[in-house]
Amino acid sequence: MLKTSTTDAIPDKKVNATHRHSFRLNAKDKYYAAVFLGPSLLVLGLFVFYPMLKTLYISLFLTNTLGNTTVYVGLGNYVNLISSPDFISSLFVTLFYVFAVTFFTVALGLLLANLASQKLPGIAIFRTLYSVTMGVSVAVAAIFWLFIFNPSTGFFALMSSWFNLPVMNWLTNPTSAMWAVIITTVWMNLGFTFLILLGAIQSVPNTLYEAADVEGASSNFQFFHITIPMISPTLFFVSTITIIGSFKSFGLIDMITKGGPTNATNMLVYRIYKDAFYSGNYSKSSAEAIILTVIIAFFTLLQFKFLEKKVNY
Amino acid sequence: MSKYKKLALPLILVLGIVLIAVFGKALSAKSAVKDNRTEVVFWHEMGGPSEQALVKVVDGFNKSQNKYKVVPKYQGSYDEAIQKILQTHNTSTSPAVFQAFDISTAQMLHSGYTTPVQNFIDEDKYDVSKISAVARAFYANDGKQQAMPFNTSQPVLYFNASLLEKYGITPPPVSPSYSDITRVAKELYEKSGHKVKGMTVQVYGWFLEQALANANRQLANNNDGHTGNPTKVNVNNPDTVEFLNWIKENIKAGDFIDYGSGANAGANQTAGFLSDKVGIFIQSSASMGQLSKSNKNKLGITYFPHPDGKKANGVSIGGAALWISNDKPKDVQRGAFEFIKYTLKPEVQAQWQKSTGYLALNKDSQKTDILKELYAKNPESKVPGEQLAHAKANFSNSGILMEGMQLTRQLEEVAMETVYNGGDIKTALNTADKNINDNLTQLNKANGFK
């Protein structure tokens, strides 16, 4: 079953490989290539490659008050970062956040999608409700959750006082602040993940379930042996998107915790922003940006190397 | 039928274009006709009620003359504005006059991007003696006025006087010590049956610096940067330890509530204070406008608390100053200075204090009806100004003239948070010292300072 399956990537690679050997450009082709590639190369070069190289360049220097490079330090900025406990903890915090967010987003999204895929009267209401966070902007979500977390007048504080429980100060305790950010991010992500997974579950052919019913398989068995394998490409897509998205998470952190308390939620992207645009330390933040690029590239490669092979029908 | 359907879309498009062309032209013509005044772009960081008050100041200036037109543009928080100002210099978007906060003074000074206001003061023989000397000294270097203080505040301690009355608690003295505040906070917490938290101190590096200023302790060497560029910072000193011990004692007693750091914390603690959840907090005098307007309780104010058995040295000012960029033509810079002069008029400063809580810097403002009425109605609104007048300016309470103050503050806040969450004071302060000094050494190296 696995051996005979073909993914889109495989024939593509073959075509490329054969082309590369017999690739000769005549003058006319070269002209067309220049015309068609020129504009996009220009835009990419100006807005992607030039800033990337410039970041790499700045990361090898110290920058002064005006943001100009002054003293060449080679890999000094990188050495400083790697030997700084602050930065290392930031790295671990980021990884923890990314994996927690991805795990809960995909797990809850799958649960809700599975529930909402039942054919029951009125199910459309739930489908709408579950995907409603897609329409909520980051700023609105952050303020909404800030109201909930407020230790004096917030919803959680009110609930605690009703039940005579001690009031928990979500955003000032390092551990709970991290969970507060995770909860908010998962809540934000859920709508989109739910919708994509629901679409995938609904496109699983009904005949498979009918056959399983005839065999007398339980609904649990059907979920793990039919639904999950059938939607695995979508699961792969959703988790990749969520991992990359959470690495880049900025808005919620900026509005909810500002990286605090005690740097407990100071993720890499937020740290880069703060070092550059609060402290004006462009060299340090450039070095951090390069490190982040390497990490994301590593995870992307890892996913394509390993996870894609596991995707099966 | 289908023939018309095909026509519909292009028709709508054409109609839209015609509409935009006609009305768009009318709209742009309108703005072009307005006037031929010299435009002076003004970047500021005042949000909320303070922004409304500031816009009124600008409108007042624009109406008072017809040569210049000041255009105010909000730039977000103080912290974020600094890099915008530095990085847009020499471009067409840069401001002609801008507001930059206290701790960016060293950066602005070293940037060389500004025209010292002293040049214009000399040209006009403008009399600055009416303007608060303490505030002026903060933004002067080598006897030259670099920027003009505009919104100037003092950190003060607010308490809920109605709650204290209700539970029969003696209010703290005008210039309280740490233990005076602890007493009131504990009593309030106990007598209210643990319903009202006694106090909070926001995780804010400014407060830590002010505690040091009030204890006559310098944070950076070379007299906090006033007699040379600082090369070393010493957060781990007995006065910081005493300040943090004071907070720790209250945390242990249970009467302290921690709202965290940043703007959210500020908003949350104000909400907590106004809804009788916490009785005492420290905040800028600039919050007074908001606190007296929307408060059903009687508001009490005292000076910033000082260490026990020590005389209060007085705190430094906070707030921001107006700087003139040197990348704009002469007449625009002239317009910027005319605007600065206008902001310092007695009536303008008096109205500014009344609507925001920032202190009126012109000594003549005290004689205006606006402030006389305000003091008659809210006698407590005099307190911040009195605290400022009480302090004798010395190196410890004139601010810290040092590069990298923004990061320094963040690191101070990390130390405070560590202590609030039960960490060891000495360890937290040592970590802060190490990180601040590492950054300072690197900055001095990058800038070529010795």
Side-chain angles (χ1 to χ4, degrees), chain B residues 248-272:
Chain B
K248 203 160 188 177
E249 186 195 338
N250 284 290
I251 292 175
K252 272 188 191 147
D255 64 278
F256 188 96
I257 178 168
D258 175 15
Y259 284 99
S261 64
N264 295 327
N268 283 351
Q269 72 178 6
T270 306

PDB file of all heavy atoms in Angstrom, chain B residues 248-272:
ATOM      1  N   LYS B 248       9.349  43.090  49.985  1.00  0.00           N
ATOM      2  CA  LYS B 248       9.318  41.678  50.336  1.00  0.00           C
ATOM      3  C   LYS B 248       8.578  41.463  51.656  1.00  0.00           C
ATOM      4  O   LYS B 248       7.812  40.500  51.801  1.00  0.00           O
ATOM      5  CB  LYS B 248      10.752  41.151  50.435  1.00  0.00           C
ATOM      6  CG  LYS B 248      10.811  39.666  50.231  1.00  0.00           C
ATOM      7  CD  LYS B 248      12.179  39.190  49.843  1.00  0.00           C
ATOM      8  CE  LYS B 248      12.054  37.717  49.482  1.00  0.00           C
ATOM      9  NZ  LYS B 248      13.291  37.138  49.026  1.00  0.00           N
ATOM     10  N   GLU B 249       8.812  42.375  52.598  1.00  0.00           N
ATOM     11  CA  GLU B 249       8.156  42.261  53.897  1.00  0.00           C
ATOM     12  C   GLU B 249       6.634  42.280  53.709  1.00  0.00           C
ATOM     13  O   GLU B 249       5.901  41.494  54.314  1.00  0.00           O
ATOM     14  CB  GLU B 249       8.596  43.419  54.793  1.00  0.00           C
ATOM     15  CG  GLU B 249       8.082  43.303  56.226  1.00  0.00           C
ATOM     16  CD  GLU B 249       8.213  44.617  56.990  1.00  0.00           C
ATOM     17  OE1 GLU B 249       9.052  45.453  56.587  1.00  0.00           O
ATOM     18  OE2 GLU B 249       7.463  44.794  57.971  1.00  0.00           O
ATOM     19  N   ASN B 250       6.171  43.177  52.842  1.00  0.00           N
ATOM     20  CA  ASN B 250       4.727  43.290  52.612  1.00  0.00           C
ATOM     21  C   ASN B 250       4.185  42.103  51.833  1.00  0.00           C
ATOM     22  O   ASN B 250       3.039  41.702  52.031  1.00  0.00           O
ATOM     23  CB  ASN B 250       4.407  44.600  51.905  1.00  0.00           C
ATOM     24  CG  ASN B 250       4.468  45.778  52.852  1.00  0.00           C
ATOM     25  OD1 ASN B 250       3.629  45.917  53.727  1.00  0.00           O
ATOM     26  ND2 ASN B 250       5.498  46.591  52.725  1.00  0.00           N
ATOM     27  N   ILE B 251       5.005  41.561  50.944  1.00  0.00           N
ATOM     28  CA  ILE B 251       4.558  40.360  50.224  1.00  0.00           C
ATOM     29  C   ILE B 251       4.344  39.233  51.222  1.00  0.00           C
ATOM     30  O   ILE B 251       3.340  38.523  51.175  1.00  0.00           O
ATOM     31  CB  ILE B 251       5.602  39.952  49.153  1.00  0.00           C
ATOM     32  CG1 ILE B 251       5.654  40.999  48.046  1.00  0.00           C
ATOM     33  CG2 ILE B 251       5.277  38.584  48.572  1.00  0.00           C
ATOM     34  CD1 ILE B 251       6.723  40.764  47.007  1.00  0.00           C
ATOM     35  N   LYS B 252       5.303  39.106  52.145  1.00  0.00           N
ATOM     36  CA  LYS B 252       5.209  38.037  53.149  1.00  0.00           C
ATOM     37  C   LYS B 252       3.989  38.212  54.040  1.00  0.00           C
ATOM     38  O   LYS B 252       3.332  37.247  54.411  1.00  0.00           O
ATOM     39  CB  LYS B 252       6.480  38.011  54.005  1.00  0.00           C
ATOM     40  CG  LYS B 252       7.558  37.144  53.380  1.00  0.00           C
ATOM     41  CD  LYS B 252       8.728  36.966  54.326  1.00  0.00           C
ATOM     42  CE  LYS B 252       9.901  36.322  53.602  1.00  0.00           C
ATOM     43  NZ  LYS B 252      11.175  36.811  54.119  1.00  0.00           N
ATOM     44  N   ALA B 253       3.677  39.484  54.369  1.00  0.00           N
ATOM     45  CA  ALA B 253       2.543  39.751  55.255  1.00  0.00           C
ATOM     46  C   ALA B 253       1.216  39.537  54.529  1.00  0.00           C
ATOM     47  O   ALA B 253       0.167  39.483  55.164  1.00  0.00           O
ATOM     48  CB  ALA B 253       2.623  41.173  55.791  1.00  0.00           C
ATOM     49  N   GLY B 254       1.260  39.413  53.199  1.00  0.00           N
ATOM     50  CA  GLY B 254       0.037  39.129  52.434  1.00  0.00           C
ATOM     51  C   GLY B 254      -0.719  40.361  51.998  1.00  0.00           C
ATOM     52  O   GLY B 254      -1.721  40.260  51.300  1.00  0.00           O
ATOM     53  N   ASP B 255      -0.252  41.544  52.408  1.00  0.00           N
ATOM     54  CA  ASP B 255      -1.015  42.755  52.073  1.00  0.00           C
ATOM     55  C   ASP B 255      -0.589  43.356  50.741  1.00  0.00           C
ATOM     56  O   ASP B 255      -1.101  44.384  50.316  1.00  0.00           O
ATOM     57  CB  ASP B 255      -0.855  43.799  53.187  1.00  0.00           C
ATOM     58  CG  ASP B 255       0.577  44.275  53.324  1.00  0.00           C
ATOM     59  OD1 ASP B 255       1.378  43.582  53.983  1.00  0.00           O
ATOM     60  OD2 ASP B 255       0.905  45.325  52.751  1.00  0.00           O
ATOM     61  N   PHE B 256       0.355  42.721  50.047  1.00  0.00           N
ATOM     62  CA  PHE B 256       0.892  43.257  48.799  1.00  0.00           C
ATOM     63  C   PHE B 256       0.290  42.511  47.616  1.00  0.00           C
ATOM     64  O   PHE B 256       0.164  41.288  47.640  1.00  0.00           O
ATOM     65  CB  PHE B 256       2.415  43.087  48.803  1.00  0.00           C
ATOM     66  CG  PHE B 256       3.126  43.762  47.666  1.00  0.00           C
ATOM     67  CD1 PHE B 256       3.676  45.025  47.836  1.00  0.00           C
ATOM     68  CD2 PHE B 256       3.266  43.138  46.434  1.00  0.00           C
ATOM     69  CE1 PHE B 256       4.346  45.658  46.801  1.00  0.00           C
ATOM     70  CE2 PHE B 256       3.925  43.768  45.395  1.00  0.00           C
ATOM     71  CZ  PHE B 256       4.469  45.027  45.579  1.00  0.00           C
ATOM     72  N   ILE B 257      -0.093  43.246  46.590  1.00  0.00           N
ATOM     73  CA  ILE B 257      -0.555  42.590  45.359  1.00  0.00           C
ATOM     74  C   ILE B 257       0.355  43.005  44.218  1.00  0.00           C
ATOM     75  O   ILE B 257       0.729  44.170  44.102  1.00  0.00           O
ATOM     76  CB  ILE B 257      -2.047  42.890  45.063  1.00  0.00           C
ATOM     77  CG1 ILE B 257      -2.478  42.229  43.760  1.00  0.00           C
ATOM     78  CG2 ILE B 257      -2.332  44.379  45.063  1.00  0.00           C
ATOM     79  CD1 ILE B 257      -3.977  42.222  43.541  1.00  0.00           C
ATOM     80  N   ASP B 258       0.753  42.030  43.409  1.00  0.00           N
ATOM     81  CA  ASP B 258       1.699  42.280  42.320  1.00  0.00           C
ATOM     82  C   ASP B 258       0.920  42.349  41.005  1.00  0.00           C
ATOM     83  O   ASP B 258       0.260  41.391  40.625  1.00  0.00           O
ATOM     84  CB  ASP B 258       2.708  41.127  42.299  1.00  0.00           C
ATOM     85  CG  ASP B 258       3.669  41.216  41.125  1.00  0.00           C
ATOM     86  OD1 ASP B 258       3.742  42.287  40.501  1.00  0.00           O
ATOM     87  OD2 ASP B 258       4.348  40.206  40.853  1.00  0.00           O
ATOM     88  N   TYR B 259       1.015  43.490  40.328  1.00  0.00           N
ATOM     89  CA  TYR B 259       0.317  43.627  39.044  1.00  0.00           C
ATOM     90  C   TYR B 259       1.261  43.442  37.866  1.00  0.00           C
ATOM     91  O   TYR B 259       0.848  43.573  36.724  1.00  0.00           O
ATOM     92  CB  TYR B 259      -0.354  44.998  38.946  1.00  0.00           C
ATOM     93  CG  TYR B 259      -1.624  45.123  39.769  1.00  0.00           C
ATOM     94  CD1 TYR B 259      -1.602  45.725  41.015  1.00  0.00           C
ATOM     95  CD2 TYR B 259      -2.820  44.623  39.299  1.00  0.00           C
ATOM     96  CE1 TYR B 259      -2.755  45.836  41.771  1.00  0.00           C
ATOM     97  CE2 TYR B 259      -3.979  44.731  40.046  1.00  0.00           C
ATOM     98  CZ  TYR B 259      -3.951  45.344  41.277  1.00  0.00           C
ATOM     99  OH  TYR B 259      -5.096  45.447  42.008  1.00  0.00           O
ATOM    100  N   GLY B 260       2.548  43.186  38.151  1.00  0.00           N
ATOM    101  CA  GLY B 260       3.483  42.961  37.064  1.00  0.00           C
ATOM    102  C   GLY B 260       4.064  44.241  36.511  1.00  0.00           C
ATOM    103  O   GLY B 260       4.061  45.275  37.175  1.00  0.00           O
ATOM    104  N   SER B 261       4.536  44.154  35.243  1.00  0.00           N
ATOM    105  CA  SER B 261       5.227  45.303  34.657  1.00  0.00           C
ATOM    106  C   SER B 261       4.513  45.763  33.394  1.00  0.00           C
ATOM    107  O   SER B 261       3.650  45.075  32.871  1.00  0.00           O
ATOM    108  CB  SER B 261       6.657  44.908  34.305  1.00  0.00           C
ATOM    109  OG  SER B 261       6.635  43.909  33.312  1.00  0.00           O
ATOM    110  N   GLY B 262       4.893  46.921  32.920  1.00  0.00           N
ATOM    111  CA  GLY B 262       4.394  47.394  31.638  1.00  0.00           C
ATOM    112  C   GLY B 262       3.081  48.161  31.737  1.00  0.00           C
ATOM    113  O   GLY B 262       2.515  48.338  32.814  1.00  0.00           O
ATOM    114  N   ALA B 263       2.616  48.598  30.583  1.00  0.00           N
ATOM    115  CA  ALA B 263       1.433  49.452  30.527  1.00  0.00           C
ATOM    116  C   ALA B 263       0.196  48.734  31.069  1.00  0.00           C
ATOM    117  O   ALA B 263      -0.646  49.342  31.728  1.00  0.00           O
ATOM    118  CB  ALA B 263       1.178  49.905  29.092  1.00  0.00           C
ATOM    119  N   ASN B 264       0.096  47.412  30.797  1.00  0.00           N
ATOM    120  CA  ASN B 264      -1.058  46.667  31.298  1.00  0.00           C
ATOM    121  C   ASN B 264      -1.102  46.694  32.807  1.00  0.00           C
ATOM    122  O   ASN B 264      -2.161  46.838  33.405  1.00  0.00           O
ATOM    123  CB  ASN B 264      -0.989  45.213  30.844  1.00  0.00           C
ATOM    124  CG  ASN B 264      -1.113  45.104  29.353  1.00  0.00           C
ATOM    125  OD1 ASN B 264      -1.798  45.897  28.732  1.00  0.00           O
ATOM    126  ND2 ASN B 264      -0.425  44.138  28.785  1.00  0.00           N
ATOM    127  N   ALA B 265       0.095  46.513  33.418  1.00  0.00           N
ATOM    128  CA  ALA B 265       0.164  46.525  34.873  1.00  0.00           C
ATOM    129  C   ALA B 265      -0.307  47.872  35.397  1.00  0.00           C
ATOM    130  O   ALA B 265      -1.065  47.944  36.370  1.00  0.00           O
ATOM    131  CB  ALA B 265       1.584  46.238  35.326  1.00  0.00           C
ATOM    132  N   GLY B 266       0.129  48.936  34.730  1.00  0.00           N
ATOM    133  CA  GLY B 266      -0.279  50.277  35.144  1.00  0.00           C
ATOM    134  C   GLY B 266      -1.791  50.422  35.099  1.00  0.00           C
ATOM    135  O   GLY B 266      -2.411  50.913  36.036  1.00  0.00           O
ATOM    136  N   ALA B 267      -2.384  49.947  34.004  1.00  0.00           N
ATOM    137  CA  ALA B 267      -3.838  50.047  33.854  1.00  0.00           C
ATOM    138  C   ALA B 267      -4.541  49.173  34.886  1.00  0.00           C
ATOM    139  O   ALA B 267      -5.531  49.584  35.491  1.00  0.00           O
ATOM    140  CB  ALA B 267      -4.241  49.629  32.446  1.00  0.00           C
ATOM    141  N   ASN B 268      -4.002  47.955  35.108  1.00  0.00           N
ATOM    142  CA  ASN B 268      -4.639  47.040  36.057  1.00  0.00           C
ATOM    143  C   ASN B 268      -4.598  47.573  37.478  1.00  0.00           C
ATOM    144  O   ASN B 268      -5.558  47.427  38.229  1.00  0.00           O
ATOM    145  CB  ASN B 268      -3.945  45.673  36.022  1.00  0.00           C
ATOM    146  CG  ASN B 268      -4.349  44.866  34.815  1.00  0.00           C
ATOM    147  OD1 ASN B 268      -5.260  45.249  34.091  1.00  0.00           O
ATOM    148  ND2 ASN B 268      -3.664  43.763  34.589  1.00  0.00           N
ATOM    149  N   GLN B 269      -3.466  48.171  37.854  1.00  0.00           N
ATOM    150  CA  GLN B 269      -3.393  48.640  39.241  1.00  0.00           C
ATOM    151  C   GLN B 269      -4.274  49.873  39.427  1.00  0.00           C
ATOM    152  O   GLN B 269      -4.883  50.035  40.479  1.00  0.00           O
ATOM    153  CB  GLN B 269      -1.954  48.891  39.674  1.00  0.00           C
ATOM    154  CG  GLN B 269      -1.304  50.102  39.066  1.00  0.00           C
ATOM    155  CD  GLN B 269       0.109  50.307  39.591  1.00  0.00           C
ATOM    156  OE1 GLN B 269       0.631  49.468  40.322  1.00  0.00           O
ATOM    157  NE2 GLN B 269       0.729  51.401  39.221  1.00  0.00           N
ATOM    158  N   THR B 270      -4.389  50.697  38.391  1.00  0.00           N
ATOM    159  CA  THR B 270      -5.302  51.836  38.491  1.00  0.00           C
ATOM    160  C   THR B 270      -6.732  51.332  38.655  1.00  0.00           C
ATOM    161  O   THR B 270      -7.481  51.828  39.501  1.00  0.00           O
ATOM    162  CB  THR B 270      -5.192  52.718  37.235  1.00  0.00           C
ATOM    163  OG1 THR B 270      -3.826  53.061  37.058  1.00  0.00           O
ATOM    164  CG2 THR B 270      -6.000  53.983  37.381  1.00  0.00           C
ATOM    165  N   ALA B 271      -7.080  50.314  37.851  1.00  0.00           N
ATOM    166  CA  ALA B 271      -8.425  49.732  37.960  1.00  0.00           C
ATOM    167  C   ALA B 271      -8.638  49.152  39.348  1.00  0.00           C
ATOM    168  O   ALA B 271      -9.697  49.330  39.958  1.00  0.00           O
ATOM    169  CB  ALA B 271      -8.617  48.669  36.895  1.00  0.00           C
ATOM    170  N   GLY B 272      -7.612  48.464  39.873  1.00  0.00           N
ATOM    171  CA  GLY B 272      -7.701  47.876  41.204  1.00  0.00           C
ATOM    172  C   GLY B 272      -7.875  48.942  42.276  1.00  0.00           C
ATOM    173  O   GLY B 272      -8.663  48.793  43.211  1.00  0.00           O
TER     174      GLY B 272
END
